[in-house]
Amino acid sequence: VLATILIMGYISFPVFALAALIFISFEMLNNSLKAPTIDEQLNLYPGRHRYHFRLLIEVAAPASGGIIVAATYFAPAWVGIVALSMVVLVTILLSRATGKSFNEEVMRLLVTGDEQERRSAIDLYDHLEQQDDYERFLQELVEGEDLSTNINILRTFASLKTHKPLPEILDMIEQEMDDSLRIAVLRYIDELDFEKFDPFLHYRTLEVLKDICLHCNSNVARAMAIKTFVQRASPEISVSFVIDELNSEDDRVVANAIDGLSHLHYPGVVHLLQPYLKHETPRIRANAIVALWKYPKSRFRVRAAITSMLYAENLKHTVSAIYAAGKVKDSNYVNFIKEQLIMTI
């Protein structure tokens, strides 16, 4: 329909087609400005700029398009072409200048005393065209004391998948580190491409992951570290380490190792984990059930283990079995769980 209108307009009045084309271009520009603004949410920007953005988006673009269309309609064709070319040139120059100033503004917000503005700068950082000033963010992460801000910075680095700040981030890890911050570090490491590391950084990262597996108090952090270690280390190193973990005398270490393997899909671990379906520790048995459920050939033994735990006299076994049945989402045990729930009411 649009093409027909343009053809008819061009036949009847050639300048009409050019005017319509200019109008469509500005309408597309207007929509392209609205879309990212809605996605980014205007509240991410400082209050002093928020209304300027809103004015530009809602008023300036459509008004400019209307003025150019009107000028093209009433002026000779060459005037419209020159005007449109000048608008395009000015827009390009302004966009480059605005992009540079926007980068500078984001970096300035990072060191402001306003907590909300610092968080906004972190949220906007991964949308910059260049992240050359990541050292400023890294400094805020290393020296800053606000936990939520540090976690947000790590999330931003994870979304960028950049390993440039990794050495300094590894230096941050210590035994007394907050568990939520340590988990954020592990999520960041898990997003990285280890093939881009130099050999020494690769080795150091794996050693840090091993240390977390062995000495961290957080079960979640241990499981995440084992998962990342097994995925990123060479088969010989990862398998040897996992076997040592599974043979540990500490039940927590064994349970965390199995939990870490539950996030992977390696059929080769089936023969390693099946003996733990009969382990005397309820948590180890439950983790083995969850880890083995994804392998169809193990379903029969897994169901047998769940059933034996559900009807065990030891309450801890029953609770762990209910947890495992919920994790694997097997509807065969729904009625039993409902009965147990009714009995406790």
Side-chain angles (χ1 to χ4, degrees):
V1 176
L2 183 60
T4 303
I5 294 175
L6 290 176
I7 292 173
M8 293 179 63
Y10 184 77
I11 294 174
S12 60
F13 189 46
V15 181
F16 173 81
L18 181 60
L21 180 61
I22 295 173
F23 176 79
I24 293 171
S25 300
F26 271 88
E27 189 64 23
M28 292 175 64
L29 175 63
N30 183 36
N31 293 332
S32 68
L33 283 171
K34 284 183 178 179
T37 303
I38 294 173
D39 292 339
E40 296 298 330
Q41 300 179 347
L42 285 177
N43 57 8
L44 288 176
Y45 298 91
R48 58 183 175 277
H49 298 319
R50 203 171 299 157
Y51 299 107
H52 297 158
F53 283 129
R54 199 181 301 275
L55 177 65
L56 174 65
I57 293 163
E58 296 180 356
V59 179
S64 300
I67 293 173
I68 297 297
V69 169
T72 304
Y73 187 83
F74 292 106
W78 67 270
V79 175
I81 295 174
V82 172
L84 182 60
S85 301
M86 292 181 62
V87 168
V88 171
L89 179 61
V90 170
T91 302
I92 294 174
L93 295 176
L94 285 176
S95 64
R96 293 180 63 86
T98 303
K100 182 179 179 180
S101 62
F102 179 72
N103 286 15
E104 295 174 351
E105 179 69 12
V106 170
M107 301 310 301
R108 190 194 65 77
L109 290 176
L110 181 65
V111 296
T112 186
D114 190 308
E115 178 68 23
Q116 183 59 43
E117 290 192 346
R118 286 206 309 274
R119 293 183 181 180
S120 298
I122 295 169
D123 291 333
L124 291 169
Y125 177 73
D126 57 350
H127 297 285
L128 299 181
E129 293 183 359
Q130 295 180 344
Q131 284 84 27
D132 296 334
D133 295 325
Y134 81 96
E135 292 88 355
R136 301 266 298 272
F137 277 78
L138 185 59
Q139 181 181 2
E140 178 69 20
L141 173 63
V142 174
E143 300 179 359
E145 299 180 356
D146 183 71
L147 180 61
S148 60
T149 300
N150 291 341
I151 291 175
N152 286 337
I153 292 175
L154 287 168
R155 287 175 179 170
T156 297
F157 283 146
S159 67
L160 294 172
K161 301 182 187 301
T162 174
H163 66 275
K164 290 190 294 184
L166 180 58
E168 289 80 5
I169 292 177
L170 293 178
D171 290 337
M172 293 172 49
I173 300 177
E174 54 187 17
Q175 189 66 27
E176 295 76 19
M177 173 182 269
D178 184 88
D179 287 337
S180 58
L181 185 60
R182 183 183 287 105
I183 290 172
V185 171
L186 288 171
R187 286 175 177 163
Y188 159 69
I189 294 175
D190 190 53
E191 292 292 333
L192 301 179
D193 184 359
F194 277 47
E195 294 182 357
K196 296 180 179 179
F197 295 3
D198 65 70
F200 297 97
L201 181 59
H202 189 279
Y203 172 80
R204 185 187 175 198
T205 305
L206 293 180
E207 288 299 307
V208 169
L209 293 173
K210 287 172 62 176
D211 185 70
I212 293 175
C213 296
L214 296 172
H215 303 112
C216 180
N217 294 323
S218 169
N219 295 329
V220 176
R222 281 188 173 188
M224 292 179 62
I226 291 174
K227 168 183 173 291
T228 304
F229 181 85
V230 171
Q231 288 180 317
R232 302 300 197 277
S234 65
E236 297 81 5
I237 296 176
S238 61
V239 171
S240 176
F241 180 75
V242 168
I243 292 176
D244 290 341
E245 292 276 281
L246 294 176
N247 292 332
S248 174
E249 297 181 356
D250 187 340
D251 288 344
R252 291 181 64 227
V253 173
V254 177
N256 290 329
I258 297 175
D259 187 22
L261 293 175
S262 69
H263 298 285
L264 306 172
H265 193 279
Y266 294 154
V269 306
V270 172
H271 77 284
L272 287 176
L273 298 183
Q274 282 183 348
Y276 294 95
L277 293 174
K278 298 180 180 180
H279 200 279
E280 60 182 10
T281 303
R283 184 182 168 216
I284 292 177
R285 293 181 70 178
N287 286 356
I289 289 170
V290 175
L292 289 171
W293 182 260
K294 65 182 65 176
Y295 308 105
K297 293 182 179 180
S298 302
R299 293 280 174 89
F300 179 79
R301 293 185 180 183
V302 170
R303 286 196 173 99
I306 295 176
T307 302
S308 65
M309 292 180 69
L310 285 175
Y311 292 96
E313 296 181 358
N314 189 322
L315 181 60
K316 292 182 179 179
H317 283 74
T318 304
V319 172
S320 295
I322 292 174
Y323 161 79
K327 291 288 288 185
V328 301
K329 300 179 181 179
D330 190 345
S331 59
N332 294 324
Y333 303 101
V334 172
N335 291 332
F336 177 86
I337 296 175
K338 287 182 178 179
E339 292 175 2
Q340 295 297 314
L341 182 60
I342 293 174
M343 290 174 61
T344 57
I345 296 178

